[in-house]
Amino acid sequence: MSQHDRLLIIDFGSQVTQLIARRLRELNVYCEIHPFNRVDDAFLRDFAPKAVILSGGPASVFAEGAPMPPARVFDLGVPILGICYGQQVMMHCLGGHVERGDGTAEFGRAHVSPTEERLDLLQGWFDEAREQVWMSHGDHVARLAPGFRVFGTSPGAPFAVTADPDRHFYAVQFHPEVHHTPRGAQLYANFVRIAGFSGDWTMGAYREEAVAKIRAQVGDGKVICGLSGGVDSSVAAVLLHEAIGDQLTCVFVDHGLLRLGEAEQVVTMFRDHYNIPLIHADESELFLTALDGVSDPETKRKIIGGLFIDVFQKHANDVGGAKFLAQGTLYPDVIESVSFSGGPSVTIKSHHNVGGLPAKMGLKLVEPLRELFKDEVRALGRELGLPESFIGRHPFPGPGLAIRCPGEITRDKLAILRRADAIYIDQIRKHGLYDEIWQAFAAILPVRTVGVMGDGRTYDFALALRAVTSVDGMTADYYPFSHDFLGETATRIINEVPGINRVFYDVTSKPPGTIEME
Ligand code: XMP
């Protein structure tokens, strides 16, 4: 566990609990999310939180077996912030009264106005008299618990902000963590200031602790790490190498579906720049032969996934006696989120990038990024000196160009696609747009069309360009390039890449489309 001051978020199953953690990490405060049914007295003693947040959740305090925190949480003598369902839990547990929603649930934007009395939690709020907040609740507080007073009201929630300032217990009906509460971050800043956090959760500190933890876990054992060239596995590898030097061997499986110059970049970066032992497994023949004549998207994915595991295992065996497999698993993949049927069932989301391998090979997992969010991984990468060009890279899918080549994959098509994609990305960089875009790529379509170049007829492939903005890849909008940009890029591609004579721009968002073509 971290040596830093710790904040405990008790999760009652809200969809947005992770965002609370995000807001706190942005304030350099270390926090962990734990489901309510895993938090008992012994846990509280060991965790020793400096403050506690009770999350929102879909349950009703009236429901049988309604999720509750252990009563001891209110005797810890630390500040507590209850959000939405968390507010109702506080009232319920501390002697107030919650009323069942009468079907008039309040969802969406609302405006909170201050009462006469000032509250430290609300410092910096109400400069403009009212603050916009996001409400999402059915039940509501009807009578406050002893010691609590009202500090903010909204038309639908007379108890929008309540507190017992002497005990530093705060309870709000709205969600300060979502971006529809535009100045919600201020409340978290106030809360951690009141609780006395020093904001010492920095990447420098994390790096030192992570190195010590890796050394303690692996001792003098050997570790293998699958490197994809993506940000997560790259940062994990560099961190591991700092911790254990040559006990680490990276395996980079080149499936022949990488972009132009990609394999060389990865090898140069890790072998030459960082001096990290690296097995560059050029298995393109194996993969491309297996994919020959295959056009069904799911079949392609299954072939690639299966071969990847075989190849990785073969090369990992060459690193005789490895006991550990390192992965770039992130925090969102490991948070245990409460699955809500009201009961205590807990769904554990775990993410194995090379699924099934650890058990098959008798390996233990080393996951040095499992406490970090994606942007924190990028910050750690910067801290470790990885170049910006690597850290800011757009995501690239495991199956690589196979899913950007709808229909049958041929070596000729892949060669054309690589060149066209490189020009497209070059254009985006030249126009200073790369960092504004979540992901951009070209796809070669399984269709040939007629064109005219010079005095001659052409009959070549059509290319689709895709660029999307997104926060997490779950939903996406197409990027609104200017017509000048699109025209210039299409002209360059058609002039410079034999085999392409027509370029389309994909204006589908997700949903209904997906980001990749397959
Ligand atoms: P879709 O196409 O599902 O993609 O909208 C969402 C994001 O996930 C990436 N993606 C993958 N990443 N292995 C990966 O590591 C995969 O099999 C895979 N399929 C899609 C995609 O590039 C986008 O960022």
Side-chain angles (χ1 to χ4, degrees):
M1 241 186 227
S2 165
Q3 301 148 10
H4 298 273
D5 289 338
R6 285 192 291 272
L7 189 149
L8 172 64
I9 300 170
I10 301 182
D11 184 22
F12 295 106
S14 160
Q15 299 292 318
V16 290
T17 303
Q18 279 198 36
L19 291 179
I20 304 174
R22 288 299 317 270
R23 297 287 94 81
L24 293 165
R25 300 281 189 88
E26 282 159 14
L27 296 163
N28 294 335
V29 166
Y30 183 82
C31 64
E32 288 183 21
I33 300 173
H34 291 274
F36 71 93
N37 54 351
R38 293 289 178 86
V39 177
D40 56 16
D41 290 359
F43 178 93
L44 287 175
R45 205 174 37 246
D46 293 346
F47 194 93
K50 202 177 171 74
V52 175
I53 292 180
L54 307 176
S55 88
S60 165
V61 293
F62 299 106
E64 208 185 306
M68 289 290 153
R72 208 184 117 63
V73 81
F74 300 107
D75 298 329
L76 293 173
V78 302
I80 299 180
L81 172 62
I83 294 167
C84 196
Y85 178 75
Q87 179 191 45
Q88 294 164 18
V89 164
M90 283 174 87
M91 292 308 140
H92 187 79
C93 293
L94 295 170
H97 183 63
V98 178
E99 251 173 21
R100 211 183 279 272
D102 52 6
T104 55
E106 190 184 16
F107 289 108
R109 278 192 187 79
H111 288 92
V112 173
S113 306
T115 56
E116 282 288 297
E117 203 183 342
R118 293 279 159 256
L119 181 68
D120 46 7
L121 185 78
L122 299 175
Q123 202 181 5
W125 262 35
F126 303 126
D127 295 344
E128 315 251 316
R130 297 193 315 167
E131 293 285 346
Q132 183 187 310
V133 301
W134 185 256
M135 293 282 186
S136 172
H137 62 104
D139 298 345
H140 58 270
V141 174
R143 194 187 68 237
L144 292 175
F148 278 78
R149 302 193 290 280
V150 179
F151 296 88
T153 62
S154 76
F159 298 129
V161 184
T162 63
D164 173 347
D166 295 338
R167 286 192 284 177
H168 294 308
F169 286 176
Y170 306 92
V172 298
Q173 182 64 79
F174 55 90
H175 287 272
E177 63 276 15
V178 302
H179 74 259
H180 297 87
T181 302
R183 294 181 354 107
Q186 180 69 43
L187 296 201
Y188 288 108
N190 292 340
F191 182 65
V192 299
R193 180 179 41 76
I194 293 163
F197 282 88
S198 58
D200 60 354
W201 165 254
T202 61
M203 268 310 143
Y206 182 85
R207 173 185 183 173
E208 275 174 34
E209 274 172 37
V211 163
K213 257 200 239 173
I214 293 166
R215 286 185 185 144
Q217 187 190 355
V218 309
D220 56 6
K222 282 190 188 169
V223 181
I224 49 170
C225 176
L227 204 60
S228 68
V231 179
D232 304 342
S233 64
S234 300
V235 171
V238 175
L239 183 67
L240 277 150
H241 190 247
E242 176 164 299
I244 57 169
D246 289 354
Q247 286 165 252
L248 171 73
T249 303
C250 291
V251 181
F252 172 54
V253 178
D254 178 349
H255 46 23
L257 299 159
L258 297 169
R259 289 167 292 186
L260 195 69
E262 193 156 24
E264 294 76 11
Q265 281 167 25
V266 171
V267 173
T268 307
M269 165 81 70
F270 287 90
R271 212 180 259 163
D272 303 344
H273 185 73
Y274 280 105
N275 222 353
I276 296 178
L278 174 74
I279 296 173
H280 174 194
D282 180 358
E283 299 283 358
S284 41
E285 275 305 315
L286 178 74
F287 281 83
L288 295 182
T289 307
L291 288 166
D292 198 22
V294 178
S295 57
D296 176 64
E298 277 313 296
T299 313
K300 283 183 188 174
R301 281 177 175 271
K302 289 206 177 98
I303 290 173
I304 295 168
L307 281 179
F308 189 89
I309 289 185
D310 293 347
V311 168
F312 189 84
Q313 179 164 13
K314 181 175 88 185
H315 291 281
N317 286 339
D318 295 345
V319 184
K323 290 202 182 75
F324 298 93
L325 173 72
Q327 291 191 161
T329 313
L330 305 190
Y331 194 49
D333 303 324
V334 299
I335 293 178
E336 297 181 9
S337 55
V338 182
S339 84
F340 246 91
S341 49
S345 70
V346 170
T347 317
I348 301 173
K349 274 198 288 174
S350 67
H351 182 105
H352 295 298
N353 300 330
V354 275
L357 256 191
K360 205 165 157 190
M361 295 177 68
L363 296 170
K364 293 197 196 87
L365 283 177
V366 186
E367 296 178 315
L369 311 181
R370 53 183 287 131
E371 289 168 2
L372 302 183
F373 289 97
K374 185 88 178 178
D375 54 337
E376 292 175 323
V377 171
R378 292 203 161 110
L380 178 61
R382 284 188 193 103
E383 175 72 32
L384 290 163
L386 272 158
E388 204 58 38
S389 58
F390 230 78
I391 288 167
R393 282 175 132 197
H394 291 174
F396 186 64
L401 299 182
I403 56 176
R404 296 177 180 178
C405 192
E408 287 187 22
I409 301 165
T410 66
R411 285 160 216 258
D412 288 346
K413 278 202 220 169
L414 287 174
I416 293 171
L417 176 58
R418 278 195 188 94
R419 293 187 62 184
D421 185 73
I423 292 168
Y424 178 41
I425 299 298
D426 180 58
Q427 281 286 106
I428 290 175
R429 285 195 190 277
K430 274 195 181 135
H431 285 257
L433 302 173
Y434 190 83
D435 294 336
E436 274 180 43
I437 293 169
W438 158 269
Q439 197 169 5
F441 57 87
I444 185 162
L445 300 178
V447 58
R448 295 206 290 169
T449 68
V450 173
V452 53
M453 279 182 92
D455 291 328
R457 175 186 192 269
T458 58
Y459 185 55
D460 287 330
F461 285 109
L463 187 83
L465 303 180
R466 182 107 169 105
V468 294
T469 54
S470 177
V471 177
D472 49 16
M474 304 297 288
T475 58
D477 288 318
Y478 76 87
Y479 185 80
F481 285 123
S482 70
H483 283 269
D484 285 348
F485 173 89
L486 289 171
E488 186 185 303
T489 304
T491 304
R492 260 195 78 188
I493 290 172
I494 292 168
N495 284 343
E496 294 176 37
V497 186
I500 301 282
N501 67 351
R502 198 175 289 267
V503 173
F504 295 99
Y505 185 54
D506 184 346
V507 292
T508 323
S509 50
K510 173 183 178 176
T514 56
I515 295 177
E516 302 288 345
M517 294 258 160
E518 292 189 335

